[in-house]
Structure formats: structure tokens, C-alpha cells
Amino acid sequence: MALRALVIAMFLILVGQLVRLQVVESGQFKERAAINAIREVNTAPARGLVYDREGRPLVQNVARYSAAIVPADLPKRGEIGVYRQLAPVLGMSEQEIQSKVNEQVARTKDELTPVVLKEDLSADTAMVLRELEPHTQGVHLLVQPTRNYLYGALTSQIMGYVGALTPEDYEQLKAQGYQLQDRVGQAGIESVYESLLRGKVGKQLVEVNSAGREQRIIAEHPGQDGDNLILTIDLDLQKMLRDVLAEKAAGSDNAAAAIMDVHTGEVLAMVSLPEYDDNVFSRNIKPEELTQLVNAPGKPLLNHAIAEMYPPGSTFKTITGSAALQEGVATTATTITSRGYITVQNEFDPNVLYRFNDYAALGTMDFYRGLALSSDVYFYYLAGGKADEGFVGLGADRLARYARAFGLGQETGIDLPGESAGIVPDPAWKEKTIDEPWVLGDTYNMGIGQGYVTTTPIQMLVVAATVANGGKVLQPHLLKEVRDPQGNVIQSAKTVVKSQVPVDERYLKVITEGMVQSVSSGVARTAAVRGLNVAGKTGTAEFGLQRADSTYSTHGWFIGFAPAGNPQYAIVVFVERGGGGAQAAPVASSALDFMFNGSDLAARLERNP
């Protein structure tokens, strides 16, 4: 009796299971079967290309081969056999392959997205995999596009690179059609204009067999290839500027230079040393290679033209001078005598004197000569005044206000990632940041571009252009045009005037004349160019700890523009551990000579403004 009851109970359980499978959950299993038979597949568009202003390509798309497994297509209880077949082909262990598959499935809860096992396969390995693919369930040879940067290190700080998605990136971007194995712009133009370059992903409804092999396309929604970008840079000028900067900055940890149209903000060249080859990121860069790049002297992955902050030295005197003229602190006829230094009494103890040095006893100078000879004493007076002589200077707050008006202390807005804002100090900043009161010496130091003030080379390029164009603070940019895949112009960059400096144009012309005299007969003579009227200002900025002989290490700067009478292009040069006249100014001379005298560049720029 008990046995009959047990048999009946088991029979009822079996019937119940059949009812659940065939009636209650039949829809779910039908749906799952359909999903296994028909799949929605994303079709990646061709990434847009990038050209210089003359239409010369800077990058091309090339194929890269990767080995992948689609977990859903692996044979049930036979996946280990697949792993065993792949292991010797890929040079991986079965455990490595299994771990990669299990890890991605556990993280994404998705068995249809390919698990990339190994990238950058050789042609021989790809051929073996292609032969295995039709006969081995779940195995796929992925043919993916990658970038070949045609000029490598020459344009790497501008172009940047694309790289693999991190799991965090994927979570943010998957709603936009990105797949886990996709690559995305990680730096430079590739990053800033990712949305334009990527294009629009297409979709296909594909019928597959039980092994996951495509049988036919049922429906298709075509994607759209990425747009092409025309940049403002000129390759010839870029190479020339890189070569001469590398020569003059030999022995320096880093250096930077850039050239910009003073009326449009177009950046014609931008160089940052040391360089790196962005093609290393197009393949599967090894961890030790990346560590070596990150820790390399001079920080090659950092764009020193926009990201590194330095004291601007005497290039800042263009701002101090402009402010002093506008505020009536000085006129062109204001004379000041430099005996090689000035002394200032301690406000609490008159017996204590502080000494602020000039680089030489330069004698009596008017405004033009003070700027041309870059007298520190002259600009100490303009910035902080000289109370015992009744000379009232700008003071810290007014000086800081004008520095900000010229664009310092804020990002320029150039279309590159990683830009730094720099620092424009004032009494409130020092109190908050250092918890110390502002003193007169801070004002003196700021007036000559020392002390707490820091800038980037791109900011000082904007300062030079602002003096040149009559006071317009421009937003520098690298994008000139956007063209669709058929070559039609769909967007042209516009000149962006961020603000107008509160300095009368006639005073900016005074600054220009002082800069012209600096090149013709002052401290910037090494920037002179035959047949060209150049306006320029050098800077030799002290930094670091004082040496035993009371001197400091220095950075070399030059800012300027030409032709001085009808300015067209501004230039900035920065050389770490260099001098303004010895290293930076000669770079500018060579670059401007190349632009105006040594090639057809001037004619091409005029033809292609």
C-alpha cells in the first residue's frame, strides 16, 4: 500500500513538472529558443579620419585580428574541449581562457557578447583561427579596425589615441551602442571629438545556427561612418618647430612651443617634448611598457603646452606694463633708475632691509627701454611702487585683476583634454592657501612673473595674441572643419572671442613697440628674423631651491608675434632649465623665418586661411 502511494505521488510530481514546462513556462522557452536562432548584431562604423589643414592624412584605419569566444555558442558540457583546442594556438593555458570567459559572463551577465581572449594576432595565428572557426563551436575570429598614426610622435600630443574600454567605461557607454571589445578615444583629438569620429552604429537581425554561425541577414539598419576632421595645424610647420625645439632644448627635461593665428585662434603647430609614439596604444600595450612611459623623465604622456604650470618670468611684464599704462601708474615717459637692486624696509622694523635684485645696473630708463631691457627694478616700481620715493604702484589686487583679464588663472578652452588653469595669486588666495598674509615682496615678485603666479605655455600664447590683435582674448582651437564621409563640409570652426581686455588699444601698441625694441636692441635680439619686424619678450623664470652661490635654476620663455606692424601669428616657446635669450628666442626666430622666408608656407596659409 505504501509502495503504491509512493508511485502515485511520484507520477503526480512528474505530471506537474510536465505541465509547468509545457504550459506555464512554454512562452519563456520559446523566447529563449528564438533568441538562440535570431540575434541582433551591432555593425561598427568606420572611424572618421583626421587631416592637417592642407588635407594630408594624419591617421588611417587598419585591421587588427582578435581571438574571441561567444559563451552562448559553446557546446554544452564540451567547452573544455574548445579551450583545449585554442590554448596552443593562442599561447594561453586552458585555465586562462576559462577564467576570462567566466569573469566576463559573471560581470556582464551576458553570454552573447564576445569574450576577447587575445588581441593583435599575427597573420599566421589569424589564419589558423579562421580554419578552426567553422568547426569549433563558440570560436570567432574578430576583424576589428584600429588606428595607424602616420606621423607617430610628431603629432601624438595633438592626435592622442584610442584604447580599450574599461568595465567602468562600458557601463557608461553601452547604452550608446558601444560593445565591450570596442575602442574609444582616450586622449587628444581622438577623445574630444569621439562622438564625431565614431559615427553611428548599425544593427542587423541575423539568423544563426546552433553553433552560432551566421546563416542569413533577416533585417538591417545600416550605420553611418564617422565624420572626418580637418585640423588647423600645418605638418611642415609642426615638423620644423619640433626639430628646432628638440635641438635647442637638448638636455632639458621638457619643452613646449606653439604658434597661433592672432585673429582666429587657429593653432598652426603645437609641440611638447619629450614625445611618445601613440601607435603603442593601437596594439595591446604591455603593462611594463605603460609603466615605463608613465615614469619616464620629462613625462612624455603629458602635453606640456597645456597641462604643465610654470612661473612665466618676464613674459608676464607685458601684463604688468599694460595694467600700469591703463591705470595711470606710468606713461611712456616715466623714468626709473636701476642700480641693480632696490631695498625695502620691513614695515615693523625699519632697521631690516629687504633687497630685490635686477640682473644688472641698467641705469635710467623710460617705459620702452624698461620693457626692452626687461628691467626687474622698473617693473618692481610698476607693480608694488616705492613708498620712500612717493611712487604708487598697481598693488596686488589690481595686478591680479588684469592678469585674469588676459586669461590667466583659467583654462583657455582649447579643444584638448587635460588643460590646467594656472594660478593668479592675490592676498585672499595666499591667506586661504598658505595661511600667511600678503607682503610687498609678493607684489614685486608677481610683477615680474615670479612668486606664486603660474601659467601654461598656451595661456602665454593667448597673452601674446591679445596684445597683437588689439585686446581680444581668443579661444585657441585645433579643429578647422568637420566633413561627412562624402567630403561635404558640415561644420566650420568659428572664431571665439572670450572677452576684451580693459586696456586701451593705444597702450597695447606701446607694449608692442617695447617688444619690438626688445628684439631689435634689447634682451630678445636672438629672436630677430631677416626682413621681418618681430615683437617679442623673453623670460628667464627662477624656480626651485637657491644654490650655494645664491642663484636658482631657470626656465626659458619667449612670447612674440609678427609682423609687428600688421600682426598675423603669435608664438610661445618654453624650455625647462633653459634661458629666454639663449634657448627659447632662437627657436622662435627659426620658426618665424621658416614661416615668412624659408618656404611656401606663408603663401599656403594665405590661400587657406
Side-chain angles (χ1 to χ4, degrees):
M1 192 70 177
L3 182 61
R4 287 179 62 190
L6 179 62
V7 170
I8 293 170
M10 291 180 67
F11 180 75
L12 291 173
I13 291 171
L14 180 60
V15 170
Q17 285 289 84
L18 287 173
V19 170
R20 181 178 66 82
L21 291 173
Q22 294 182 11
V23 179
V24 178
E25 297 184 8
S26 63
Q28 177 182 339
F29 283 101
K30 286 179 182 177
E31 183 181 348
R32 187 176 300 174
I35 290 173
N36 287 335
I38 300 174
R39 292 182 184 169
E40 183 180 83
V41 178
N42 287 345
T43 56
R47 193 171 180 86
L49 300 179
V50 184
Y51 303 84
D52 88 330
R53 66 188 300 120
E54 286 292 304
R56 291 171 286 199
L58 304 178
V59 65
Q60 61 183 187
N61 294 321
V62 296
R64 68 200 295 259
Y65 298 99
S66 301
I69 280 179
V70 175
D73 295 335
L74 287 169
K76 302 307 176 189
R77 293 182 295 279
E79 64 269 17
I80 297 300
V82 175
Y83 302 157
R84 188 173 296 124
Q85 276 187 285
L86 280 179
V89 176
L90 301 181
M92 301 172 67
S93 69
E94 297 170 32
Q95 292 74 24
E96 282 182 277
I97 295 173
Q98 185 174 25
S99 176
K100 280 199 171 214
V101 173
N102 292 344
E103 180 184 327
Q104 180 171 309
V105 170
R107 187 175 68 249
T108 64
K109 305 295 188 292
D110 179 1
E111 293 193 352
L112 292 176
T113 296
V115 178
V116 176
L117 302 175
K118 194 167 188 177
E119 299 176 312
D120 301 310
L121 301 180
S122 67
D124 290 342
T125 302
M127 187 176 297
V128 172
L129 205 65
R130 192 179 294 280
E131 292 174 356
L132 275 177
E133 190 177 16
H135 313 292
T136 311
Q137 283 183 245
V139 173
H140 291 264
L141 175 66
L142 301 182
V143 183
Q144 300 167 299
T146 191
R147 302 292 250 181
N148 176 32
Y149 298 102
L150 298 173
Y151 296 91
L154 179 64
T155 58
S156 61
Q157 291 291 0
I158 295 170
M159 287 298 302
Y161 53 86
V162 295
L165 286 169
T166 65
E168 294 76 22
D169 292 336
Y170 175 65
E171 287 302 316
Q172 292 181 356
L173 295 173
K174 65 182 180 181
Q176 301 175 34
Y178 284 83
Q179 294 185 299
L180 195 56
Q181 68 269 23
D182 284 347
R183 300 174 83 80
V184 65
Q186 302 279 8
I189 290 294
E190 293 275 28
S191 172
V192 172
Y193 294 110
E194 166 70 18
S195 61
L196 294 174
L197 290 166
R198 173 173 168 76
K200 292 182 172 59
V201 176
K203 292 187 181 296
Q204 293 178 338
L205 282 181
V206 178
E207 183 179 346
V208 297
N209 62 18
S210 59
R213 305 299 173 212
E214 181 181 314
Q215 302 300 296
R216 64 189 179 97
I217 298 174
I218 297 172
E220 182 173 15
H221 185 276
Q224 180 179 318
D225 289 344
D227 295 323
N228 300 320
L229 308 183
I230 311 298
L231 301 188
T232 59
I233 66 163
D234 181 274
L235 267 175
D236 295 332
L237 183 58
Q238 179 78 7
K239 184 177 187 306
M240 185 275 160
L241 187 61
R242 189 273 307 272
D243 290 347
V244 70
L245 183 63
E247 176 190 344
K248 297 298 182 183
S252 298
D253 283 347
N254 56 70
I259 298 171
M260 185 174 85
D261 187 309
V262 305
H263 301 294
T264 66
E266 291 187 355
V267 177
L268 278 66
M270 176 183 285
V271 176
S272 174
L273 300 177
E275 303 168 311
Y276 75 97
D277 184 357
D278 43 2
N279 284 301
V280 300
F281 291 96
S282 292
R283 54 180 173 77
N284 193 19
I285 186 170
K286 298 176 181 176
E288 57 269 24
E289 290 180 295
L290 182 58
T291 300
Q292 186 177 5
L293 268 176
V294 170
N295 296 330
K299 297 175 281 190
L301 293 179
L302 194 66
N303 186 342
H304 297 284
I306 67 168
E308 198 88 280
M309 302 182 296
Y310 313 92
S314 292
T315 59
F316 189 87
K317 291 172 182 174
T318 54
I319 296 175
T320 306
S322 298
L325 292 170
Q326 183 67 33
E327 293 291 321
V329 167
T331 69
T332 56
T334 298
T335 58
I336 294 170
T337 300
S338 170
R339 297 178 176 84
Y341 64 91
I342 63 171
T343 58
V344 178
Q345 289 181 333
N346 183 296
E347 59 181 311
F348 303 109
D349 185 353
N351 295 317
V352 176
L353 293 178
Y354 299 110
R355 180 180 172 121
F356 293 87
N357 292 318
D358 211 331
Y359 67 90
L362 299 173
T364 301
M365 299 159 285
D366 65 7
F367 187 92
Y368 294 114
R369 294 310 291 166
L371 186 58
L373 296 178
S374 197
S375 166
D376 287 344
V377 164
Y378 198 98
F379 285 86
Y380 291 150
Y381 274 72
L382 299 189
K386 193 72 165 65
D388 56 348
E389 297 179 16
F391 193 103
V392 179
L394 285 162
D397 288 319
R398 281 197 293 182
L399 186 54
R401 189 169 72 247
Y402 277 90
R404 295 187 187 104
F406 273 87
L408 303 189
Q410 58 192 288
E411 297 175 7
T412 66
I414 189 170
D415 44 351
L416 286 175
E419 184 180 8
S420 296
I423 296 171
V424 175
D426 57 23
W429 174 89
K430 187 181 180 186
E431 191 73 44
K432 178 180 178 181
T433 307
I434 304 177
D435 195 24
E436 291 180 2
W438 188 273
V439 296
L440 179 60
D442 294 327
T443 307
Y444 282 158
N445 282 328
M446 184 177 174
I448 63 168
Q450 294 284 174
Y452 302 112
V453 61
T454 61
T455 64
T456 62
I458 194 68
Q459 287 176 323
M460 296 313 298
L461 180 63
V462 170
V463 169
T466 301
V467 174
N469 66 30
K472 298 181 182 69
V473 180
L474 300 178
Q475 179 175 308
H477 61 94
L478 288 156
L479 180 66
K480 187 173 180 65
E481 286 179 354
V482 180
R483 297 183 182 178
D484 66 20
Q486 290 72 45
N488 303 305
V489 177
I490 57 177
Q491 180 183 331
S492 295
K494 293 180 172 56
T495 299
V496 176
V497 179
K498 296 176 67 178
S499 60
Q500 180 80 26
V501 293
V503 179
D504 195 287
E505 191 169 352
R506 71 181 187 274
Y507 296 136
L508 295 176
K509 290 186 182 301
V510 171
I511 299 297
T512 298
E513 177 56 31
M515 294 170 71
V516 168
Q517 290 187 25
S518 186
V519 174
S520 63
S521 60
V523 295
R525 286 188 292 270
T526 50
V529 177
R530 59 189 171 88
L532 185 67
N533 196 17
V534 177
K537 184 74 198 73
T538 54
T540 302
E542 296 178 339
F543 73 98
L545 298 175
Q546 192 176 43
R547 301 188 184 111
D549 62 357
S550 298
T551 62
Y552 293 85
S553 297
T554 62
H555 297 316
W557 284 90
F558 178 85
I559 62 171
F561 50 88
N566 180 27
Q568 297 177 43
Y569 307 110
I571 184 168
V572 63
V573 181
F574 170 83
V575 179
E576 187 267 354
R577 297 185 186 279
Q583 283 85 30
V587 173
S589 174
S590 296
L592 292 172
D593 186 43
F594 178 78
M595 292 182 72
F596 288 95
N597 298 326
S599 70
D600 65 343
L601 182 59
R604 285 196 281 115
L605 291 174
E606 187 174 337
R607 184 181 72 246
N608 183 18

